């Protein structure tokens, strides 16, 4: 079975909106676009290189797809990711599946995104990497379709903005797979779902009168 992996930049308070630049997604009056860039260093580059080192297809919402399609085909052959993104399959969730996708090797998921992705996960092929796509991720989370999270936690608090974990998240336990910290204070952490949420009880066996 193919895994869906969400690889996401987030702030300490869980915002994932526009990490790459001021014009990436200013919707809702968001004014901190580019908050990730000052924290990029060689160690983070190496960690991200590991994320992209294995074969994968991309899964993108339409807005992120448009951003990528306007950038990655034009970065030049010297950029290690540009040719990779150009070559691989791009699966696109869009509310207008009849509109053409100009970037090569792109295909829509059709009207029923969840049903299509369930079939795709059962097919043979590489893992599927989600980048950005904050709206799409909420659909994936609500339907339990994400098999692994690679979270790049940047040491900033943004207050407002689109968040990775919205109100529709399914409760679940998580298992830590790996973690590392860069000199710039970025934490790259990998989690996998680990069944139901486990609970305990720290209350006293015999409650006091104060309780």
């Amino acid at each position: 079975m193919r895994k869906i992996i969400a690889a996401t930049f987030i702030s300490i308070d869980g915002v994932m909106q526009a990490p790459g630049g001021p014009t990436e997604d200013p919707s809702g009056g968001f004014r901190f676009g580019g908050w990730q860039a000052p924290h990029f260093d060689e160690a983070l580059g190496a960690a991200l290189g590991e994320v992209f080192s294995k074969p994968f297809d991309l899964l993108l919402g339409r807005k992120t797809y448009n951003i990528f399609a306007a950038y990655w085909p034009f970065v030049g052959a010297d950029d290690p990711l540009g040719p990779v993104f150009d070559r691989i399959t791009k699966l696109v969730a869009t509310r207008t599946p009849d509109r053409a996708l100009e970037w090569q090797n792109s295909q829509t998921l059709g009207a029923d995104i969840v049903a299509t992705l369930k079939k795709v996960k059962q097919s043979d092929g590489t893992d599927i990497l989600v980048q950005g796509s904050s709206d799409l991720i909420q659909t994936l989370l609500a339907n339990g379709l994400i098999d692994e999270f690679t979270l790049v936690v940047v040491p900033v608090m943004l207050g407002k903005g689109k968040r990775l974990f919205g109100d529709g998240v399914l409760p679940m336990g998580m298992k830590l797979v790996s973690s590392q910290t860069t000199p710039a204070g970025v934490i790259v952490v990998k989690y996998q779902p680990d069944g139901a949420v486990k609970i305990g009880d720290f209350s006293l066996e015999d409650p006091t009168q104060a309780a």
Side-chain angles (χ1 to χ4, degrees), residues 139-208:
T139 299
L140 301 179
L141 288 169
N143 288 276
L145 290 173
I146 298 179
D147 304 289
E148 188 171 286
F149 298 85
T150 297
L151 306 180
V152 182
V153 185
V154 179
V156 293
M157 299 279 279
L158 298 174
K160 296 182 179 180
K162 297 176 181 178
R163 283 177 158 74
L164 173 59
F165 299 112
D167 293 338
V169 172
L170 295 176
M172 68 182 75
M174 301 295 287
K175 176 177 66 176
L176 178 66
V177 177
S178 65
S179 67
Q180 65 182 98
T181 304
T182 73
V186 175
I187 302 172
V188 183
V189 61
K190 184 184 295 185
Y191 286 106
Q192 292 176 347
D194 191 31
V197 175
K198 300 176 180 65
I199 62 173
D201 189 351
F202 283 110
S203 61
L204 296 173
E205 184 175 345
D206 298 315
T208 66

Side-chain angles (χ1 to χ4, degrees), residues 25-193:
D25 181 8
S27 62
F30 188 72
R31 57 189 181 90
F32 296 114
W35 48 270
Q36 179 272 325
H39 302 274
F40 192 90
D41 57 16
E42 185 176 342
L44 181 54
L48 295 178
E50 186 174 339
V51 172
F52 297 117
S53 64
K54 299 177 182 178
F56 63 93
D57 289 338
L58 275 176
L59 172 57
L60 305 169
R62 185 62 190 247
K63 181 177 288 186
T64 299
Y65 172 84
N66 289 341
I67 293 170
F68 276 31
Y71 179 80
W72 287 111
F74 307 101
V75 295
D78 291 339
D79 188 291
L81 270 185
V84 174
F85 280 7
D86 230 13
R87 182 183 68 251
I88 62 175
T89 299
K90 277 75 70 177
L91 305 171
V92 185
T94 173
R95 296 183 180 90
T96 55
D98 294 335
R99 286 181 56 189
L101 300 173
E102 302 295 339
W103 194 5
Q104 66 177 358
N105 303 321
S106 300
Q107 59 190 62
T108 70
L109 294 170
D112 193 336
I113 294 167
V114 172
T116 300
L117 284 174
K118 287 180 178 178
K119 291 180 181 178
V120 170
K121 288 184 68 174
Q122 295 298 325
S123 66
D124 295 329
T126 65
D127 288 337
I128 303 162
L129 192 65
V130 186
Q131 293 273 276
S133 309
S134 57
D135 290 342
L136 170 61
I137 278 186
Q138 303 315 307
T139 299
L140 301 179
L141 288 169
N143 288 276
L145 290 173
I146 298 179
D147 304 289
E148 188 171 286
F149 298 85
T150 297
L151 306 180
V152 182
V153 185
V154 179
V156 293
M157 299 279 279
L158 298 174
K160 296 182 179 180
K162 297 176 181 178
R163 283 177 158 74
L164 173 59
F165 299 112
D167 293 338
V169 172
L170 295 176
M172 68 182 75
M174 301 295 287
K175 176 177 66 176
L176 178 66
V177 177
S178 65
S179 67
Q180 65 182 98
T181 304
T182 73
V186 175
I187 302 172
V188 183
V189 61
K190 184 184 295 185
Y191 286 106
Q192 292 176 347

